[in-house]
Amino acid sequence: MASTTLTRKDFASDQEVRWCPGCGDYAILASMQRLAPSLGIAKEKFVFISGIGCSSRFPYYMNTYGFHTIHGRAMTIATGLKCTRPDLSVWVITGDGDGLSIGGNHFIHTLRRNLDINILLFNNRIYGLTKGQYSPTSEQGKKTKSTPMGSIDYPVNALSLALASEATFIARSIDVYSNHLQEVIRQAAAHRGVSFVEIYQNCNIFNDGAFSAFSERDVRNERLLELEDGRPMLFGKEKREGIRIQGGKPEVIKVGQAGVREQDVLVHDAATANMTIPFLLSRMDYPDFPVPIGVFRRVERPTYDELLQGQINTVKKQKGAGDIVKLLKGSQTWEVH
Amino acid sequence: MAELLQKQRKTKSKPRRGNGSKNSRSIQELDSVTVRFAGDSGDGMQLAGSQFTQTAAIIGNDVATLPDFPAEIRAPAGSLPGVSAFQVHFSDHDIHTAGDCADVLVAMNPAALKMHIGDLEGDGILIVNTDGFSENNLRKAGCSTNPLEDGSLESYRCFEVPVTKLTHEALQDLSLTKKEKDRCKNFFALGLTLWMFDRTLDSTLRWIDQKFTAMPEMAEANRRALKAGYFFGDTTEAFASIHYRVAEATLPKGLYRQVTGNQAMAMGLAVGAHLAKKQLFYASYPITPASDILHEMARYKNYNVATFQAEDEIAAIGAAIGASFGGHLGVTASSGPGIALKTEAINLAVMVELPVVIIDVQRGGPSTGLPTKTEQGDLLQAIHGRNSESPVAVLAPATPGECFEYAITALRLAVKYMTPVFLLSDGSLANGAEPWRIPSFDDLPKFDCHHLVDAKDFQPYRRDKTTLARPWVLPGTPGLEHTIGGLEKEDVTGAVSYDPRNHEAMCRLRAQKIAGMVQDIPDVALFGANSGKVLVVGWGSTYGAITTAVEKQQAAGKSVSSMHLRYLNPLPANTGSLLKNFEKVLVPELNLGQLRSILRDQYLVDAVGLNKVRGQPLTVAEVTQAIEGLL
């Protein structure tokens, strides 16, 4: 089946979509189904692997190979699959609870290994499927069913954690910003190595409007910072506001005011080996700063799957294909007559 | 009468073999001997024991070993918890155990003596390193008096040897440090023991050459220490009375090697993959006593084996399942605590019906328990230890060598029935060694793996009529795209289903599939008559002790048979009928009665247990006593 002839419809399964009406997941699914035919990957080579949670129903709705696994463990199954089947395009669909709480350990280790898979983490800052408890990305003080006096947990920052975990591709986008989301996912798919994409996703039932302060169409220009590799970090309607680092801290500057020139604005370098600026970017949040979206980091490093296969090939080259008889004999034998 | 003296059949005076020893002294022939080497965990007792074993095996004795080491890598030197021991039983006939008690104990320090003297035969031979008996060491071992002086060892045939001093003398002109020279004393002890049993040094000398190629001075030191020990035996008058020979055993013809259970397991997995023409993906997290399988597998890269050291136990089985989903043979191994962590993922494999082999090298529990000691406490965990109705197949090899055969069988059944298969090993099988007749590769049964590619009328959960297995479809196959998962599946279509009747039907189908594997399981054979007074039923590593005890009863004309189960779920079809042919059923286990519960439950048989959970193997004496209690 030639992938070029495929359309969005080919990637829609016959399963009835069961997310709540108005859920941000619909938008993400639509973006993925729209994008998939243009990625140059044969349909049968796609595998979507998920854990547990609202986001993890995703594979049922893609007309590809899929595996809806257990809570927090999708990355482990993806690891075994990609190690043995490097020919497949492996996608992990996870959420803030699945990927950062119960699956937090696998998150760290899958990212540092740089397995050539794509991880889409739908972050809605709430537990949806268990009906509204706070999640590891919920803001401190959040009142939920399990925290009537407000959550005392301090939230984890997914992008900071991804950086600390040595991920080679780190990006963020927003469910309702379809064009941007598709572009980010396209770049994630193209990256050789682990690609981590945090997608801000609205849960209209339990955490409605968590991101609306900066994700709504009419405020995006002012409140989002769209990172573009090699371009100055400018935002605002006229692109006259920018980010610079002063005294080791980011600050918002206005081009043309108080002698600030466009050259003073920090230029985004996604490929830098230096973690400092990507880390500072990962900490920027509304309302003190515009929320950065786009590709934060994209560096090259050998992938785990190719290193694994490389060692196997090296041994095969040195020793030839294994001789079972030799294996069984070991180093010392004796004959009984 | 001393056991050792009873074993003495004849005393001969004849020219001796060996490294140029004088030929005037007599050598006593014995039919079997058990030697235990005990010392500090830094003293190299495991090495001395395994080299002694290798020599015995090459000479043609039957051998069985029991390494016994502490959980701490280096507990404080000289302390009781730091004692490491290695027992080897060798004989001129077929043996099944590493021996209940030791005929010879080599003790390198007071702690080793204190920990092991209780297992030395009444008038056994004791060789002590007097240099290890410093005041400091005596204090660390909690000895208020020096056992070498207080008369407490009088009943034994005690030989006091300044092993450390003599080793140093032999290495005098070598420019090694004192510490390095100290480290060679195990070779002195080994040399002396090899002389005692009229062995050659050839095998150990060869091993030293190979092992220390990069360190010629250490090689020389170890060679000298070994020879010094040997000649010390040869020239010291007192030792003339303890010079023995154990003739070769008559084992079935063939080419032999020594294997431990963990080695055999690793080879079985690699050979199984080869027979299936598949790649094997071995994913595990290091845990005692299973880690050695990972170490072995990591060396098999040119045998279509990939290994993955995961971040934790759950990731290990997750990756194994992922590999199986992709069409490879996914295998994981652990011990009880790790298996506990894997349970949810095992259930995923039950639900999505993918082949995966789970090896549990059992150790003492619960919790962290006794990491380096053996136990059979995980049988019920393997069969039942998951939420809801979760049937899996459970197999248990009985000897180190059988780990090879059952690793292949586990892979074959997992693929044929599309199911997780448990393989239960344990600490004593994993680390215990025995001579193993190398099978001919051509005799091993090949097995096929089928992958559906035909999209016509494809249904992910349409089952094979005989095995009830669902098709194994590889991602990447055009036209067969589908999603599997942990939610309940609709029969045939595999779509998510919450239908109450469908759920019950699926629970029953999954159970029926595992129960139906009995068609692929050979009937269990009895050792002894098909009916009688007492039937001893065992599984796993207790095979040796049970068989030896039953052999003795049969030789004494008693109506005793034994049945050793290698398939625990499902049980062989003839199990129930055989149980009913005996007046009494005895079930010895290294747990508090897990197989006994199963037998009672499934066959309404009034089975009696012999249960021991001390981290130590069952002894022949214990089984004998239990049988005699029922006769």
Side-chain angles (χ1 to χ4, degrees):
Chain A
M1 216 176 287
S3 58
T4 47
T5 63
L6 295 176
T7 67
R8 175 185 173 179
K9 266 188 167 168
D10 291 306
F11 284 89
S13 79
D14 59 359
Q15 301 286 305
E16 183 193 344
V17 184
R18 292 194 190 176
W19 288 312
C20 307
C23 176
D25 290 352
Y26 282 96
I28 304 172
L29 177 65
S31 289
M32 191 72 222
Q33 288 172 341
R34 234 178 255 134
L35 176 70
S38 68
L39 290 177
I41 301 165
K43 188 164 81 91
E44 67 273 13
K45 295 284 189 184
F46 279 93
V47 185
F48 285 88
I49 302 180
S50 64
I52 295 294
C54 295
S55 59
S56 290
R57 298 300 175 95
F58 195 94
Y60 289 114
Y61 310 136
M62 292 295 294
N63 186 23
T64 63
Y65 283 96
F67 199 163
H68 178 213
T69 71
I70 45 176
H71 208 3
R73 318 302 171 198
M75 289 177 217
T76 72
I77 281 139
T79 297
L81 182 62
K82 187 67 189 183
C83 284
T84 51
R85 293 289 307 278
D87 59 308
L88 298 172
S89 175
V90 178
W91 297 73
V92 169
I93 307 296
T94 183
D96 41 324
D98 188 64
L100 298 171
S101 192
I102 192 167
N105 194 34
H106 310 307
F107 179 88
I108 296 167
H109 297 283
T110 307
L111 264 51
R112 75 173 164 84
R113 285 190 193 107
N114 198 34
L115 205 71
D116 187 16
I117 61 172
N118 310 295
I119 300 168
L120 309 183
L121 186 145
F122 301 7
N123 183 3
N124 57 14
R125 295 188 176 157
I126 198 76
Y127 281 178
L129 200 63
T130 50
K131 302 195 173 174
Q133 300 83 1
Y134 73 101
S135 90
T137 54
S138 296
E139 61 279 13
Q140 201 173 33
K142 190 171 198 68
K143 287 195 176 172
T144 70
K145 281 180 195 159
S146 61
T147 51
M149 294 174 70
S151 157
I152 55 173
D153 274 34
Y154 195 80
V156 67
N157 180 317
L159 295 190
S160 301
L161 185 59
L163 280 160
S165 306
E166 310 280 350
T168 54
F169 181 100
I170 300 172
R172 179 193 282 150
S173 191
I174 302 176
D175 55 359
V176 290
Y177 196 173
S178 182
N179 291 344
H180 186 269
L181 177 58
Q182 285 187 53
E183 184 49 33
V184 163
I185 298 177
R186 179 189 305 283
Q187 294 190 40
H191 177 68
R192 260 181 62 254
V194 76
S195 306
F196 172 67
V197 182
E198 178 186 38
I199 304 170
Y200 282 156
Q201 172 246 323
N202 190 44
C203 172
N204 58 323
I205 303 295
F206 295 109
N207 201 18
D208 196 22
F211 309 104
S212 57
F214 52 85
S215 68
E216 294 292 325
R217 201 178 290 269
D218 54 338
V219 294
R220 277 181 203 161
N221 281 337
E222 303 298 327
R223 299 178 182 174
L224 290 179
L225 170 65
E226 292 190 32
L227 299 171
E228 286 176 82
D229 201 16
R231 307 289 298 252
M233 294 181 197
L234 289 164
F235 64 100
K237 205 169 265 168
E238 311 294 328
K239 294 275 182 202
R240 300 302 287 166
E241 288 171 88
I243 301 294
R244 78 168 169 199
I245 306 285
Q246 192 79 342
K249 290 184 214 157
E251 63 177 23
V252 174
I253 51 175
K254 292 198 162 108
V255 176
Q257 284 186 17
V260 171
R261 297 161 307 165
E262 193 163 322
Q263 299 93 289
D264 297 330
V265 176
L266 191 62
V267 173
H268 183 45
D269 178 7
T272 178
N274 188 329
M275 291 273 205
T276 311
I277 291 170
F279 188 77
L280 290 176
L281 289 171
S282 77
R283 314 299 291 175
M284 282 167 43
D285 206 356
Y286 182 79
D288 298 334
F289 292 98
V291 174
I293 59 171
V295 179
F296 286 59
R297 183 169 204 243
R298 175 178 23 217
V299 297
E300 296 291 326
R301 201 168 76 219
T303 69
Y304 189 84
D305 30 309
E306 84 197 3
L307 291 172
L308 179 77
Q309 199 52 51
Q311 288 196 340
I312 291 172
N313 293 343
T314 303
V315 175
K316 279 186 178 168
K317 208 181 259 174
Q318 284 168 354
K319 300 188 177 172
D323 176 357
I324 291 289
V325 176
K326 227 163 109 185
L327 174 76
L328 295 182
K329 279 186 183 166
S331 54
Q332 265 183 318
T333 57
W334 65 94
E335 191 84 43
V336 172
H337 300 284
Chain B
M1 262 307 244
E3 182 87 357
L4 198 60
L5 296 179
Q6 282 179 346
K7 285 177 189 165
Q8 245 166 258
R9 291 186 309 201
K10 49 211 161 191
T11 305
K12 282 185 201 163
S13 184
K14 65 174 186 183
R16 302 212 312 251
R17 304 177 282 183
N19 280 21
S21 51
K22 291 169 198 150
N23 60 12
S24 58
R25 295 193 194 134
S26 63
I27 299 184
Q28 301 156 44
E29 294 270 343
L30 301 176
D31 57 10
S32 84
V33 177
T34 300
V35 178
R36 188 180 297 183
F37 297 89
D40 205 60
S41 50
D43 282 346
M45 292 297 98
Q46 301 300 320
L47 177 59
S50 56
Q51 282 303 312
F52 187 93
T53 307
Q54 184 69 31
T55 298
I58 289 174
I59 282 168
N61 295 139
D62 196 7
V63 297
T65 70
L66 174 67
D68 180 14
F69 40 84
E72 295 76 17
I73 300 302
R74 289 278 189 277
S79 69
L80 294 172
V83 174
S84 172
F86 188 103
Q87 181 161 309
V88 47
H89 183 195
F90 57 105
S91 69
D92 67 1
H93 57 278
D94 194 17
I95 50 169
H96 311 295
T97 77
D100 286 6
C101 291
D103 301 309
V104 179
L105 173 65
V106 178
M108 300 298 277
N109 66 15
L113 180 72
K114 194 169 175 178
M115 293 290 282
H116 293 284
I117 191 73
D119 289 336
L120 184 61
E121 288 288 355
D123 56 354
I125 295 167
L126 175 64
I127 297 173
V128 286
N129 174 18
T130 49
D131 296 328
F133 283 67
S134 64
E135 247 175 60
N136 197 14
N137 276 351
L138 286 164
R139 192 174 38 75
K140 281 190 202 159
C143 301
S144 49
T145 56
N146 187 344
L148 303 181
E149 293 160 3
D150 64 11
S152 61
L153 304 175
E154 255 168 20
S155 69
Y156 306 105
R157 297 156 72 191
C158 185
F159 294 83
E160 298 183 11
V161 184
V163 174
T164 316
K165 186 172 145 265
L166 291 170
T167 303
H168 273 271
E169 278 171 13
L171 311 183
Q172 221 167 24
D173 56 323
L174 294 179
S175 62
L176 295 168
T177 63
K178 179 179 173 295
K179 219 172 166 183
E180 284 169 326
K181 289 181 181 174
D182 272 354
R183 242 187 273 149
C184 298
K185 63 181 180 292
N186 58 334
F187 280 95
F188 186 98
L190 173 61
L192 176 56
T193 331
L194 287 170
W195 174 85
M196 267 180 74
F197 295 98
D198 196 43
R199 303 278 130 122
T200 75
L201 303 180
D202 301 351
S203 163
T204 304
L205 288 172
R206 256 201 317 275
W207 183 87
I208 291 172
D209 286 345
Q210 279 169 15
K211 191 77 186 175
F212 294 93
T213 324
M215 293 180 280
E217 186 128 62
M218 275 312 283
E220 176 60 16
N222 286 327
R223 271 194 297 268
R224 283 203 209 171
L226 181 74
K227 287 179 183 168
Y230 189 94
F231 292 125
F232 181 78
D234 200 32
T235 53
T236 307
E237 206 58 39
F239 282 99
S241 63
I242 55 164
H243 202 193
Y244 302 100
R245 182 179 293 144
V246 176
E248 60 196 65
T250 45
L251 298 170
K253 270 189 203 167
L255 189 63
Y256 281 75
R257 64 171 283 184
Q258 221 194 124
V259 279
T260 65
N262 276 347
Q263 283 171 337
M265 193 74 89
M267 285 192 290
L269 292 173
V271 170
H274 192 85
L275 292 167
K277 297 191 193 70
K278 278 278 174 193
Q279 279 216 326
L280 187 128
F281 186 74
Y282 184 86
S284 92
Y285 183 74
I287 184 170
T288 304
S291 305
D292 282 341
I293 308 175
L294 173 62
H295 307 159
E296 283 290 312
M297 299 300 284
R299 295 168 43 229
Y300 293 173
K301 290 188 170 58
N302 54 335
Y303 290 91
N304 277 336
V305 170
T307 53
F308 173 61
Q309 181 178 316
E311 62 269 28
D312 60 29
E313 296 283 359
I314 300 172
I317 183 152
I321 292 170
S324 291
F325 177 50
H328 289 231
L329 300 175
V331 179
T332 187
S334 188
S335 189
I339 299 296
L341 287 166
K342 294 180 196 291
T343 52
E344 190 193 7
I346 298 171
N347 251 353
L348 176 67
V350 167
M351 195 60 134
V352 298
E353 303 188 39
L354 280 172
V356 58
V357 171
I358 305 131
I359 298 165
D360 179 358
V361 187
Q362 300 164 95
R363 67 189 212 186
S367 189
T368 310
L370 310 173
T372 58
K373 311 292 179 194
T374 198
E375 199 167 287
Q376 297 181 305
D378 300 350
L379 177 60
L380 293 181
Q381 181 188 24
I383 298 180
H384 297 300
R386 290 165 299 282
N387 61 302
S388 189
E389 297 294 334
S390 170
V392 298
V394 180
L395 278 54
T399 65
E402 276 187 18
C403 292
F404 174 80
E405 180 186 339
Y406 284 89
I408 299 174
T409 307
L411 288 171
R412 183 171 55 80
L413 292 175
V415 164
K416 184 167 179 184
Y417 288 88
M418 293 291 281
T419 176
V421 175
F422 256 99
L423 259 176
L424 292 176
S425 174
D426 67 27
S428 62
L429 288 180
N431 294 315
E434 65 174 4
W436 180 59
R437 189 153 70 109
I438 299 167
S440 156
F441 181 70
D442 298 332
D443 296 345
L444 299 169
K446 317 258 178 302
F447 60 97
D448 291 324
C449 300
H450 295 291
H451 299 296
L452 191 69
V453 290
D454 185 3
K456 193 167 167 272
D457 299 331
F458 166 62
Q459 297 288 1
Y461 276 71
R462 175 171 287 150
R463 293 172 191 281
D464 179 272
K465 285 196 177 64
T466 355
T467 62
L468 297 182
R470 75 176 193 92
W472 195 2
V473 178
L474 304 189
T477 312
L480 298 186
E481 290 87 350
H482 66 286
T483 292
I484 56 171
L487 286 169
E488 182 59 285
K489 298 284 164 283
E490 186 179 71
D491 193 12
V492 185
T493 67
V496 173
S497 166
Y498 302 112
D499 178 74
R501 285 178 182 279
N502 175 74
H503 175 54
E504 181 163 330
M506 291 299 279
C507 283
R508 291 184 186 280
L509 260 175
R510 287 186 286 263
Q512 209 187 325
K513 180 172 87 165
I514 299 303
M517 290 172 77
V518 78
Q519 67 193 330
D520 256 302
I521 290 174
D523 273 355
V524 62
L526 284 191
F527 175 59
N530 268 337
S531 61
K533 274 194 182 152
V534 175
L535 177 68
V536 187
V537 185
W539 66 281
S541 65
T542 51
Y543 172 78
I546 292 173
T547 307
T548 309
V550 170
E551 254 172 11
K552 285 185 178 175
Q553 293 296 327
Q554 289 173 355
K558 300 288 165 56
S559 173
V560 180
S561 299
S562 62
M563 169 200 278
H564 211 76
L565 294 163
R566 272 81 168 179
Y567 297 86
L568 280 318
N569 196 44
L571 289 157
N574 63 338
T575 312
S577 61
L578 290 176
L579 289 173
K580 298 200 162 95
N581 288 349
F582 291 83
E583 289 169 27
K584 302 264 173 68
V585 173
L586 173 69
V587 188
E589 288 178 275
L590 300 176
N591 60 43
L592 295 181
Q594 301 191 10
L595 176 63
R596 183 178 39 135
S597 292
I598 293 169
L599 297 179
R600 285 177 163 200
D601 168 45
Q602 296 210 10
Y603 305 110
L604 288 172
V605 56
D606 186 15
V608 182
L610 163 59
N611 303 99
K612 172 177 169 182
V613 275
R614 297 182 188 172
Q616 295 294 333
L618 209 56
T619 65
V620 177
E622 287 160 348
V623 182
T624 303
Q625 197 185 6
I627 294 172
E628 284 169 356
L630 290 177
L631 282 169

